[in-house]
Amino acid sequence: MSLKSNSGVCRTLRQLRWVLYPRRCPFCDRVLGTVSPCPDCCAELDALRRKPTMRLSAGLHYLGRLEGAAAPYRYAGCVRRGVLRAKYQAAPWAADELGAQMARLLFGSEAKMGTFGPEVQPVPGLALSYDCIVPVPASSRARPIARAVGVPLEPKALVRVHAARRQEGLSLDERLANVAGAFAVPDPERVEGKRVLLVDDVITTGATAAA
């Protein structure tokens, strides 16, 4: 098959996916098409924004050896529904939309509307701050952020070696014990000596990020 015909097949498959699985709002599940942002969720999202700063207070979170942490939204309302939809309802499109939101709010990336959804644009100079991006296992929000930051994504750098029960509802001490030894780095050379940007869905006490 020639390169031209192969690209034509890919384009047809993407168009078919667009018809069968139209772009939806990750927060309310409304079909969006090329509309962005979702008009139904703007007011609630604005109310859930963490302002004026998105950096988390080290005095209120256990960050271990992390230099710092940030979150664009409070985990409530439509934001909570969006994260749960992406994690537990087999909705990869929702993960991409949430990742684009994180890239825009945390790093100032513009998302130009392409044929099949928002396309995150690189932010000039941002790559100087990091060497690589590592997603916490089961998190897929990192792909758009990697495009915005412009550094390599290391999706296999961190692995979960044993399943921990859900952190929701646990105290800080229980959370720390729950994730102790839950993660490992099978190939340390991937991240050793590097400035790593760790990406996860939710941060509450910081126990999982620190682990």
Side-chain angles (χ1 to χ4, degrees):
M1 182 180 292
S2 68
L3 180 62
K4 182 177 180 180
S5 61
N6 187 44
S7 63
V9 170
C10 292
R11 184 167 55 253
T12 300
L13 290 175
R14 288 196 299 269
Q15 291 171 342
L16 181 61
R17 185 188 68 175
W18 181 264
V19 173
L20 296 177
Y21 304 100
R23 176 174 172 254
R24 293 177 176 272
C25 173
F27 304 108
C28 68
D29 206 32
R30 165 183 172 164
V31 175
L32 292 178
T34 58
V35 175
S36 185
C38 175
D40 292 343
C41 296
C42 284
E44 185 175 1
L45 286 173
D46 188 62
L48 292 173
R49 281 281 304 277
R50 299 187 64 257
K51 302 174 183 178
T53 175
M54 288 177 277
R55 289 188 65 85
L56 302 177
S57 169
L60 300 176
H61 300 82
Y62 178 78
L63 300 179
R65 296 183 179 180
L66 299 178
E67 291 185 1
Y73 292 112
R74 290 184 289 111
Y75 185 59
C78 67
V79 172
R80 183 177 186 275
R81 292 193 296 273
V83 171
L84 294 177
R85 180 174 290 113
K87 288 174 69 73
Y88 301 114
Q89 296 182 16
W93 50 266
D96 286 340
E97 294 283 342
L98 291 173
Q101 284 272 9
M102 291 177 69
R104 178 177 67 86
L105 296 174
L106 292 174
F107 301 105
S109 172
E110 293 185 9
K112 296 183 179 180
M113 187 55 61
T115 307
F116 304 101
E119 298 176 351
V120 173
Q121 305 300 303
V123 179
L126 197 55
L128 299 176
S129 302
Y130 307 98
D131 295 313
C132 66
I133 294 178
V134 174
V136 172
S139 174
S140 55
R141 257 58 64 197
R143 286 190 298 269
I145 296 175
R147 290 195 293 270
V149 177
V151 297
L153 176 64
E154 295 284 0
K156 297 181 179 180
L158 190 64
V159 298
R160 188 183 292 273
V161 293
H162 70 77
R165 61 186 175 125
R166 291 181 64 176
Q167 296 278 69
E168 192 171 358
L170 302 181
S171 67
L172 173 59
D173 289 341
E174 291 172 330
R175 287 170 181 262
L176 291 172
N178 189 41
V179 294
F183 303 101
V185 180
D187 184 4
E189 291 185 357
R190 287 180 179 267
V191 296
E192 190 171 5
K194 294 182 178 181
R195 296 164 297 176
V196 176
L197 175 61
L198 191 68
V199 178
D200 200 0
D201 303 297
V202 179
I203 181 169
T204 304
T205 62
T208 299

